[in-house]
Amino acid sequence: MKRLLVVVDLQKDFVDGALGTPEAQAIVPAVIRRIREFPGDVVYTRDTHGEDYLNTQEGRHLPVVHCLRNTPGWEILPEVLQAGAGKTAAVLDKPTFGSLALCDLAASGGYEAIELVGLCTDICVISNALCLKARLWEVPLSVRADCCAGVTPESHANALAAMAMCQIEIQNGPDAGAEG
């Protein structure tokens, strides 16, 4: 079975930078483990903004400068990237929550199952999961809850519940009984 792991926005600004949280920091070891164990291809998304961020719609709603292209906060954590060494892997920059390029890559790749992990469950993980579900409605999608963190623990739980209602399987970790 051809499988894809989507690692959403494991960037310095979301882990321990401008928008970092203790919950985001706590999932990093589990994400690294999952990438290493995953029996398939890996794609990393990277939230990417320009100097005009505060003048964008997102910037007006979230006026915290983050993930500016070519800054340290924009970089995917090196240990997260290194976990995918030896696998077929790609990095996709995305200017907004969901990535149409990710949907195109997944659609053209012939994947039979897609799993998502990363940050933030309640913004970019759910956006990408729903984009993928809309594009590849017959491909089983899953989200590994123990490898995700939201803006708050409550919004993380709400996003997981919303994705479950949209027929996206929520896995709680390696012993959840799910394949892989």
Side-chain angles (χ1 to χ4, degrees):
M1 173 184 295
K2 191 169 182 188
R3 301 177 62 172
L4 178 66
L5 177 65
V6 180
V7 181
V8 179
D9 299 356
L10 255 289
Q11 296 162 265
K12 180 168 181 46
D13 272 348
F14 291 126
V15 176
D16 60 6
L19 294 170
T21 65
E23 293 84 6
Q25 293 170 34
I27 69 162
V28 172
V31 171
I32 291 169
R33 229 178 0 266
R34 185 61 188 146
I35 294 167
R36 287 181 178 148
E37 296 170 352
F38 190 77
D41 299 342
V42 178
V43 64
Y44 301 90
T45 68
R46 184 167 49 195
D47 195 46
T48 303
H49 300 295
E51 295 294 330
D52 67 337
Y53 172 76
L54 292 175
N55 296 319
T56 67
Q57 181 171 313
E58 180 183 332
R60 289 188 295 276
H61 285 86
L62 177 62
V64 178
V65 176
H66 65 282
C67 298
L68 295 183
R69 183 183 298 279
N70 298 323
T71 65
W74 173 71
E75 297 294 337
I76 296 170
L77 298 180
E79 61 271 31
V80 171
L81 277 176
Q82 291 166 359
K87 295 181 180 287
T88 300
V91 176
L92 297 176
D93 292 341
K94 60 183 188 59
T96 188
F97 306 142
S99 174
L100 297 177
L102 171 63
C103 293
D104 292 343
L105 181 146
S108 66
Y111 295 102
E112 300 169 75
I114 301 171
E115 180 179 312
L116 293 94
V117 300
L119 303 168
C120 293
T121 319
D122 44 344
I123 301 173
C124 292
V125 174
I126 192 172
S127 295
N128 284 290
L130 292 174
C131 284
L132 288 163
K133 187 69 172 175
R135 180 75 182 272
L136 301 165
W137 58 92
E138 286 295 330
V139 174
L141 294 179
S142 63
V143 171
R144 194 166 288 257
D146 66 325
C147 291
C148 293
V151 173
T152 68
E154 296 79 17
S155 61
H156 167 76
N158 288 339
L160 293 173
M163 288 185 280
M165 289 301 296
C166 293
Q167 302 175 0
I168 296 167
E169 181 183 348
I170 306 303
Q171 300 175 349
N172 291 318
D175 299 323
E179 182 180 319

